[in-house]
């Protein structure tokens, strides 16, 4: 094994208990729509402007439902007023979203009223999906969480209860999302635009578990740019071909001095050596099964080193550290701190005396705390015995920026040049490194030890490299800057295993079959845990949920077999295929006959291995609905039925595979 160490490295056990807090906002100072929870997309459709909501009146009501703008609120507000006795007044959205049994759903909306008003909000006739709220005169967020016990596309209702003459309420930003936490309002996946997402991310570090709600406590940085200008209208394209999948995913890396313009050269498949103060760019190229491709970039800033600090006493709750002042003083006492002689530089301390270090923490509430540490300087030992007399000869060590012209066996030379030098014997001499002359060539001067025992081993501004070769097996370990990399290549089975830990890029592990080129990676970073392989398969856990390479977005199928109108769709989410039929018009049906209403694309991952049958409820009539193992979607009536317009609604879900 060869160990190369340069300069000085400090190895010690450190557990300072710091906690990093993250928040998001739409402005550089964090004040616009500040949130510590990244928003989820809205499961509801068409809720931003209430355009597709229908009025809902009852009990001879004379009322108005208008859409108005409120100062400071960008969304259209539903303004419901009454001018007579009322039992219920409001709006409803038919087939508001798709819900699957077992999903945990949180619904939320902003509202206020002229007086305390009972307002129903949620999915009517859907188990646990609706709740009655008492809306007060002040704008407030109202939320309700439930777990679905059935699947369907329920209607969404917002209506007041027991309203009287002159009473009114207003509502905006209705939302439904997966999970038990209400996050800031967002449009649905089909309506969202770039500008709807938070534009800035903020961070700060302290010793307190709770996140601060004060935007000024965070350091903000841009995570989303503005959309580019619209391009010129293009010509109508030809009909699209069947959907494609991802064939390969290739990830490369490059270093750049720019954080806004991607590099054009220098891309490599492994993370290059990081340069403090510059940027690490990551480029991902997705190649699809139709041989087309897309490219995406991410960029991270490589922070410069800060000063090494000493362990301090516990910080005060609820405040941040404004300044830290460190001073030193010498003393003959190791138990009582000096009262004078403190300086900002380390003084000379006599052997047997004590060096005191004082740290003063000034907090943001203008209070302060002081901590001390003390170290004893070793006593001078007795004079050692005289060594044997030396012989006359040449000096034993030369320090210069040029190669010594007079050389003898055992001569040590420390090269002080600013760049590497090729010596007369062909050896590459490294700057700031010592070599000795063997009699024929220069050899790196090494320190060899079987055991090193000490409280502190320091290597400052350097790196640690360990390489070992044992027959066909080669291992290496590298510690450099904020990066640790370990690699093992085994020639007996032609495999390579790599693991890397980086304070900004996270933890990643990669297995490679050298013979076939197949590789598999797994890791975790700020975006969440992930795994992928060279065949294009991948899975990732993100703040918005799980993403799989098998996922298929909601896709519309064309009706056939005499069926028309309505909407036939399918999607694959988290390994489950979902089917939805809504408002479908059907031809005359003979009892017990199955009629094909749509066909999945050839090779679709949603095609089951066995027929998947369910019941389709259409008003009071029970029909059959199934997806066949050949990809056909079929409907059956249990009794003879005439042609019906917009009559059939159905759904089916099953695990893929």
């Amino acid at each position: 094994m060869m160990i190369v160490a340069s300069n000085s490295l400090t190895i010690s056990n450190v557990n300072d208990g710091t906690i990093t807090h993250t928040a998001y906002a739409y402005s550089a100072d964090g004040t616009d729509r500040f949130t510590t929870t990244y928003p989820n997309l809205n499961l509801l459709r068409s809720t931003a402007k209430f355009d597709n909501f229908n009025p809902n009146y009852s009990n001879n009501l004379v009322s108005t439902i208008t859409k108005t703008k409120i100062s400071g609120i960008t969304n259209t507000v539903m303004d419901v007023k009454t001018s007579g006795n009322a039992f219920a007044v409001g709006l409803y959205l038919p087939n508001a979203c798709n819900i699957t049994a077992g999903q945990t759903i949180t619904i939320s909306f902003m509202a206020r009223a002229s007086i305390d008003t009972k307002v129903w909000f949620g999915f009517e006739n859907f188990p646990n999906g609706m709740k009655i709220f008492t809306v007060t005169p002040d704008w407030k967020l109202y939320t309700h969480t439930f777990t679905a016990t059935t699947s369907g596309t329920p209607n969404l209702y917002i209506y007041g209860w027991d309203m009287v003459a002159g009473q009114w309420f207003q509502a905006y930003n209705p939302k439904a999302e997966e999970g038990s936490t209400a996050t800031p309002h967002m449009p649905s996946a089909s309506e969202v635009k770039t500008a709807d997402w938070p534009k800035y991310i903020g961070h700060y570090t302290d010793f307190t578990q709770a996140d601060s709600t004060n935007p000024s406590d965070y350091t903000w940085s841009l995570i989303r740019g503005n959309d580019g200008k619209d391009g010129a209208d293009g010509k109508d394209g030809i009909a699209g071909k069947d959907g494609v999948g991802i064939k390969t995913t290739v990830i490369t890396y490059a270093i750049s001095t720019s954080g806004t313009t991607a590099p054009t050269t220098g891309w490599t498949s492994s993370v290059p050596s990081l340069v403090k103060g510059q940027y690490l760019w990551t480029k991902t190229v997705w190649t699809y099964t139709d041989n087309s491709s897309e490219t995406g970039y991410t960029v991270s800033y490589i922070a410069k080193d800060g000063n090494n600090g000493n362990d301090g006493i516990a910080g005060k709750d609820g405040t941040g550290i404004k300044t830290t002042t460190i001073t030193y003083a010498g003393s003959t006492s190791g138990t009582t701190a000096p009262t004078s002689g403190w300086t900002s530089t380390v003084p000379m301390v006599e052997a047997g005396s004590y060096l005191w270090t004082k740290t003063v923490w000034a907090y943001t509430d203008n209070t302060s705390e002081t901590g001390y540490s003390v170290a004893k300087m070793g006593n001078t030992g007795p004079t050692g015995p005289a060594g044997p007399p030396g012989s006359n000869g040449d000096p034993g060590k030369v320090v210069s920026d040029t190669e010594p012209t007079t050389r003898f066996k055992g001569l040590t030379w420390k090269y002080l040049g600013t760049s590497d030098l090729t010596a007369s014997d062909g050896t590459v001499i490294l700057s700031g490194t010592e070599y000795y002359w063997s009699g024929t060539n220069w050899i790196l001067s090494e320190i060899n030890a079987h055991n090193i025992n000490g409280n502190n081993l320091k290597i400052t501004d350097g790196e640690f490299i360990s390489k070992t070769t044992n027959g066909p097996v080669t291992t290496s370990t590298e510690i450099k800057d904020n990066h640790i990399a370990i690699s093992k290549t085994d020639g007996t089975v032609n495999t390579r295993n790599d693991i890397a830990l980086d304070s900004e890029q996270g933890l990643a592990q990669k297995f490679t079959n050298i013979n076939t080129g197949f590789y598999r990676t797994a890791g975790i970073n700020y975006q969440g845990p992930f795994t992928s392989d060279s065949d294009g398969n991948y899975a990732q856990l993100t703040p918005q949920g799980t993403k799989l390479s098998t996922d298929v977005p909601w896709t519309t199928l064309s009706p056939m077999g005499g069926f028309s109108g309505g909407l036939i769709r399918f999607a694959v989410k988290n390994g489950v295929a979902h089917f939805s039929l809504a408002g479908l018009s059907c031809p005359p049906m003979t009892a017990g006959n199955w009629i094909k209403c749509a066909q999945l694309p050839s090779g679709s991952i949603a095609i089951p291995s066995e027929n998947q049958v369910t019941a389709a409820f259409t008003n009071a009539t029970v029909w059959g609905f199934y997806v066949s193992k050949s990809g056909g979607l079929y409907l059956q009536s249990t009794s003879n039925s005439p042609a019906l317009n917009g009559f059939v609604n159905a759904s089916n879900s099953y695990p893929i595979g």
Side-chain angles (χ1 to χ4, degrees):
M1 179 176 75
M2 179 180 71
I3 299 177
V4 180
S6 62
N7 301 324
S8 171
L9 166 70
T10 299
I11 301 176
S12 58
N13 292 323
V14 176
N15 183 10
D16 59 7
T18 56
I19 298 173
T20 299
H21 303 266
T22 303
Y24 308 91
Y26 292 76
S27 62
D29 60 359
T31 57
D32 183 8
R33 285 165 283 176
F34 171 89
T35 177
T36 57
T37 305
Y38 198 80
N40 295 324
L41 288 174
N42 204 338
L43 299 180
L44 303 175
R45 61 178 180 85
S46 305
T47 57
K49 297 183 179 180
F50 295 89
D51 287 341
N52 293 321
F53 278 72
N54 298 320
N56 177 53
Y57 306 130
S58 64
N59 285 22
N60 300 319
L61 174 68
V62 179
S63 68
T64 60
I65 297 178
T66 60
K67 295 186 297 179
T68 60
K69 290 266 188 175
I70 303 298
S71 177
I73 300 172
T74 58
N75 298 85
T76 301
V77 177
M78 178 189 70
D79 188 355
V80 179
K81 299 180 180 180
T82 68
S83 56
N85 291 332
F87 181 69
V89 59
L91 298 177
Y92 75 95
L93 179 65
N95 302 322
C97 67
N98 292 290
I99 296 179
T100 303
Q103 278 186 304
T104 297
I105 303 293
T106 294
I107 57 177
S108 60
F109 70 112
M110 291 292 295
R112 71 174 179 181
S114 55
I115 60 175
D116 287 0
T117 301
K118 292 181 180 179
V119 175
W120 285 92
F121 176 67
F123 304 111
E124 191 172 49
N125 299 325
F126 203 79
N128 301 319
M130 177 169 276
K131 182 178 179 180
I132 188 168
F133 300 89
T134 299
V135 174
T136 63
D138 295 322
W139 284 114
K140 180 181 175 183
L141 179 69
Y142 297 88
T143 68
H144 171 56
T145 300
F146 68 96
T147 299
T149 58
T150 185
S151 301
T153 55
N155 301 333
L156 178 76
Y157 282 83
I158 308 176
Y159 59 85
W161 194 260
D162 287 338
M163 296 178 67
V164 298
Q167 190 175 351
W168 57 265
F169 75 93
Q170 296 174 319
Y172 74 99
N173 277 2
K175 185 178 184 181
E177 58 191 300
E178 284 195 275
S180 57
T181 301
T183 64
H185 183 265
M186 289 286 287
S188 65
S190 62
E191 300 166 306
V192 69
K193 299 180 177 63
T194 301
D196 295 320
W197 296 98
K199 191 172 183 179
Y200 294 87
I201 188 171
H203 297 288
Y204 77 93
T205 302
D206 64 6
F207 299 91
T208 304
Q209 186 68 37
D211 294 325
S212 170
T213 57
N214 183 1
S216 63
D217 289 341
Y218 296 78
T219 299
W220 297 95
S221 57
L222 185 69
I223 58 172
R224 175 183 63 78
N226 296 322
D227 288 339
K229 295 182 179 179
D230 291 340
D233 292 339
K235 297 181 180 179
D236 291 341
I238 61 174
K241 56 185 177 181
D242 291 341
V244 297
I246 295 177
K247 183 166 65 176
T248 62
T249 301
V250 178
I251 301 175
T252 53
Y253 309 87
I255 294 293
S256 174
T257 57
S258 172
T260 57
T261 302
T264 56
T265 59
W267 294 97
T268 63
S269 59
S270 58
V271 177
S273 298
L274 304 181
V275 180
K276 301 169 188 176
Q278 296 189 15
Y279 297 84
L280 174 64
W281 284 80
T282 302
K283 177 169 67 174
T284 304
V285 179
W286 297 274
T287 301
Y288 298 97
T289 51
D290 64 351
N291 293 322
S292 63
S293 65
E294 290 182 331
T295 302
Y297 296 89
T298 59
V299 62
S300 300
Y301 179 67
I302 305 165
K304 298 181 179 180
D305 289 344
N307 295 325
N308 293 328
N310 298 313
D311 292 342
I313 63 174
K316 296 181 64 176
D317 293 338
T319 59
I321 295 176
K322 183 165 61 176
T323 61
T324 301
T325 304
I326 301 175
T327 53
Y328 309 88
S331 174
T332 57
S333 172
T335 57
T336 302
T339 58
S340 61
W342 294 96
T343 65
S344 59
T345 58
V346 178
M348 295 294 295
V349 180
E350 295 180 357
S353 293
Y354 297 85
L355 174 65
W356 284 80
T357 302
K358 177 170 66 175
T359 304
V360 179
W361 295 272
Y363 297 97
T364 53
D365 61 356
N366 294 323
T367 61
S368 65
E369 290 180 327
T370 303
Y372 295 91
S373 62
V374 62
K376 184 179 181 180
M377 311 306 290
N379 293 317
T380 302
T383 303
S391 58
N392 294 328
D394 295 312
K397 183 175 183 179
V398 174
V399 180
S400 67
D401 56 5
T402 58
E403 182 181 5
T405 56
T406 301
R407 296 182 288 273
F408 57 90
K409 188 174 183 179
L411 172 68
T412 301
W413 170 35
K414 183 173 183 179
Y415 173 52
L416 294 183
T418 58
S419 59
D420 296 348
L421 170 71
T422 301
S424 58
D425 65 333
T427 302
V428 177
I429 307 298
L430 305 178
S431 177
T433 307
E434 291 190 359
Y435 297 80
Y436 71 90
W437 183 254
S438 67
T440 56
N441 61 289
W442 292 107
I443 298 176
L444 181 68
S445 181
E446 299 178 352
I447 300 176
N448 297 303
H450 295 287
N451 292 288
I452 299 177
N453 186 8
N455 293 328
N456 269 323
L457 174 63
K458 294 185 177 180
I459 301 177
T460 302
D461 294 330
E463 61 187 59
F464 176 90
I465 300 174
S466 174
K467 295 182 179 179
T468 302
T469 300
N470 184 7
V473 178
T474 300
T475 60
S476 66
T477 301
E478 177 180 315
I479 303 175
K480 184 176 181 180
D481 297 327
N482 63 338
H483 186 84
I484 301 175
I486 303 173
S487 177
K488 176 183 178 181
T489 301
D490 191 342
T492 60
V493 291
N494 275 343
T495 61
R496 178 184 173 97
N497 290 275
D498 300 277
I499 186 169
L501 177 64
D502 187 279
S503 62
E504 294 176 331
Q505 301 302 315
L507 176 66
Q509 189 169 9
K510 182 177 182 180
F511 164 81
T512 304
N513 185 315
I514 299 174
N515 287 335
T516 64
F518 174 83
Y519 67 83
R520 179 177 288 115
T521 61
I524 185 169
N525 54 33
Y526 288 132
Q527 284 73 44
F530 65 90
T531 181
S532 64
D533 62 28
S534 55
D535 291 336
N537 302 306
Y538 69 89
Q540 183 178 13
L541 180 62
T542 74
Q544 291 77 45
T546 303
K547 294 183 179 179
L548 303 177
S549 54
T550 56
D551 285 351
V552 178
W554 281 106
T555 303
T556 301
L557 301 175
S558 299
M560 60 176 59
F563 293 90
S564 63
L567 192 63
I568 306 176
R569 300 192 305 162
F570 82 98
V572 179
K573 304 290 184 182
N574 295 334
V576 177
H578 303 277
F579 293 83
S580 173
L581 280 64
L584 194 64
S585 297
C586 64
M589 302 286 286
T590 301
N593 284 356
W594 290 97
I595 300 180
K596 188 175 183 180
C597 63
Q599 174 66 43
L600 286 168
S602 176
S604 171
I605 197 169
I607 298 177
S609 57
E610 296 294 338
N611 295 341
Q612 298 290 332
V613 185
T614 187
F617 294 86
T618 305
N619 296 337
T621 304
V622 179
W623 287 28
F625 171 52
Y626 83 90
V627 183
S628 72
K629 60 184 180 180
S630 61
L633 279 64
Y634 292 84
L635 283 168
Q636 175 199 59
S637 175
T638 57
S639 61
N640 292 334
S641 173
L644 297 171
N645 184 34
F647 187 73
V648 179
N649 299 289
S651 65
N652 196 350
S653 299
Y654 51 82
I656 63 174

